[in-house]
Amino acid sequence: MTSKVAVVSGGSRGIGRACAEALATAGWNVAIGYRTREADAKETVEALDGVGTPGMAVFLDVTDENSVREAFRRVSDEVGPITGLVNNAGYSRDGLLLTYSMEEYERTMTTNLRGSFLCSQ
């Protein structure tokens, strides 16, 4: 097992995938956290394998404490102690404050703030 193990929340595409690929290129084993895009996460893992660093896809709903706990336990058990984290999972809906619903506000704060807090614990 390697001592360089990172979890990238929201790592299946976009900025998260780019971070995962950069970490893999630097020799890190990377766990790709996903909530809805399992196929994209597995495709990202294949890309990591292509640079010679194994990765894994792991279900990770950053808004759910039990999901976070289980995902991090699984990565630790299967890959090794986690020594890096990219809190990339996020939610945003553009709009005027006057038209932004409380539901959208709660979803944004739960994903972006609570999710980062839970993963960092």
Side-chain angles (χ1 to χ4, degrees):
M1 289 190 197
T2 181
S3 62
K4 293 171 32 172
V5 177
V7 173
V8 179
S9 68
S12 63
R13 60 193 178 101
I15 294 170
R17 180 175 173 153
C19 290
E21 290 174 347
L23 287 166
T25 299
W28 288 72
N29 283 351
V30 183
I32 305 301
Y34 70 90
R35 185 176 61 88
T36 59
R37 299 178 183 267
E38 182 177 14
D40 290 346
K42 288 180 178 181
E43 181 182 303
T44 300
V45 169
E46 290 175 14
L48 302 183
D49 291 341
V51 298
T53 306
M56 73 179 284
V58 63
F59 177 79
L60 174 58
D61 179 350
V62 300
T63 68
D64 181 298
E65 189 173 353
N66 290 326
S67 175
V68 172
R69 188 178 301 116
E70 176 60 22
F72 279 70
R73 183 206 56 78
R74 187 171 160 225
V75 173
S76 292
D77 288 353
E78 294 180 26
V79 184
I82 299 166
T83 56
L85 170 64
V86 177
N87 273 315
N88 177 69
Y91 175 78
S92 177
R93 182 177 165 264
D94 291 334
L96 295 173
L97 180 64
L98 295 173
T99 60
Y100 211 77
S101 71
M102 186 54 71
E103 181 180 286
E104 289 295 323
Y105 171 82
E106 291 293 338
R107 181 175 179 190
T108 301
M109 294 299 114
T110 299
T111 303
N112 298 353
L113 296 178
R114 185 173 194 262
S116 292
F117 173 79
L118 291 173
C119 289
S120 296
Q121 278 189 315

